[in-house]
Amino acid sequence: MIINDEEKKVTAVHEAGHALLAMVLPHADPVHKVTIIPRGMALGLTMQLPVDEKHNYSREYLKDRIAILLGGRIAEETPIGSITTGAGNDLERATEMARQMVCEWGMSESMGPLTFGKKEEQIFLGREIAQHQDYSEDTAIRIDQEIKKIVTTDYGTARKILEQNRVVLAKIAEELLLREVLDADQVRKIAAGQPLEEHKPA
C-alpha cells in the first residue's frame, strides 16, 4: 500500500497516541513495537506484549485497554484538529469490549452481576453464534447507556493523559516519521526525555 506524506503524518500521530497511553496507563500490557509501515489494511500498528499469559482480565485492565484503543483518535484530534476514518476499527473494538463488560462479564455497577443476550449456535448457518435479545427494550436502553458511559469515561481519561503529555506525543510521532519503527526501549527514552541514537537511513 502506497500512502502519501499527509497520511503518514496522521498515522504517526495516531500510533503515538496508542503508544504513549500504553506506556503511561498502570494496567496496560507493555509496548513492544510501534510502526507506521502499512500492513494489510492497517496504516500503522502499536504492538503490546503481555508480561505473562492472561486467562482472566480485571476491570481496570479492560478500561485501560479501551483508553488505549481510543488514544489514536484523540491524538489525531489534538494537534491536527480533525479526525479521520483511520480509527474506525479501534472504535469498533473499544465499543465491543465495553459491551462485553456490561453484557457478558457483569462489570457494570448499574446493571449488576448479570449477563444479557443468550448465545446459541445456529447449526444450519455453519455453527455461527447467534445473539438472542432476552431482555426488555428498557433494559436494552440501559445497556446502551452503560456502554456509552464506559467508553466516554475512558475517552476522558485518555484525553487528559495525552493533553498533559503533548510534547512527548509530538516527539514520538516525529521519531516515527523519521524511523518508521520504534522499539519499546526507544519509546521509553522519548517518554523520559532522553535522546535517541542518531538515525542512519537504510
Side-chain angles (χ1 to χ4, degrees):
M1 197 193 309
I2 306 296
I3 63 169
N4 64 38
D5 288 348
E6 197 47 48
E7 281 183 318
K8 218 173 189 180
K9 242 181 245 174
V10 173
T11 303
V13 170
H14 183 103
E15 295 307 328
H18 290 314
L20 179 55
L21 286 166
M23 288 285 298
V24 173
L25 289 164
H27 304 282
D29 289 325
V31 172
H32 173 61
K33 188 170 80 168
V34 193
T35 176
I36 55 165
I37 298 168
R39 283 196 175 97
M41 292 305 288
L43 298 180
L45 181 71
T46 298
M47 277 176 70
Q48 292 170 262
L49 287 183
V51 179
D52 44 26
E53 210 176 316
K54 283 189 177 74
H55 302 288
N56 272 322
Y57 299 102
S58 69
R59 192 167 186 270
E60 294 73 26
Y61 173 86
L62 294 167
K63 284 179 72 56
D64 280 2
R65 190 85 207 94
I66 291 170
I68 292 163
L69 284 165
L70 298 170
R73 159 76 172 254
I74 299 163
E76 285 182 36
E77 273 178 45
T78 313
I80 297 168
S82 71
I83 50 179
T84 69
T85 55
N89 182 250
D90 294 336
L91 300 180
E92 195 181 315
R93 284 164 62 201
T95 308
E96 176 57 19
M97 204 170 286
R99 190 199 63 75
Q100 285 178 294
M101 287 173 76
V102 176
C103 296
E104 292 178 34
W105 303 323
M107 289 180 173
S108 152
E109 282 163 27
S110 76
M111 300 309 291
L114 303 168
T115 62
F116 302 95
K118 229 182 295 189
K119 284 192 167 75
E120 285 180 21
E121 281 192 356
Q122 303 282 62
I123 310 295
F124 304 109
L125 299 176
R127 302 189 80 74
E128 193 180 299
I129 304 284
Q131 196 92 7
H132 287 279
Q133 188 167 317
D134 56 359
Y135 44 84
S136 69
E137 199 51 47
D138 178 51
T139 301
I141 291 166
R142 284 176 59 215
I143 287 170
D144 285 346
Q145 286 168 344
E146 263 312 279
I147 292 169
K148 186 179 179 187
K149 186 174 148 193
I150 289 171
V151 175
T152 50
T153 303
D154 295 337
Y155 187 93
T157 302
R159 188 177 192 99
K160 193 175 169 190
I161 291 168
L162 293 181
E163 283 178 351
Q164 286 168 346
N165 294 277
R166 274 183 184 191
V167 176
V168 178
L169 181 69
K171 187 68 181 155
I172 295 171
E174 189 188 308
E175 291 292 351
L176 268 174
L177 277 171
L178 181 69
R179 298 162 195 264
E180 294 194 323
V181 179
L182 293 171
D183 62 26
D185 192 45
Q186 289 172 315
V187 177
R188 262 194 300 275
K189 277 183 177 170
I190 297 167
Q194 296 168 356
L196 299 188
E197 70 288 348
E198 198 185 331
H199 174 63
K200 295 180 177 66

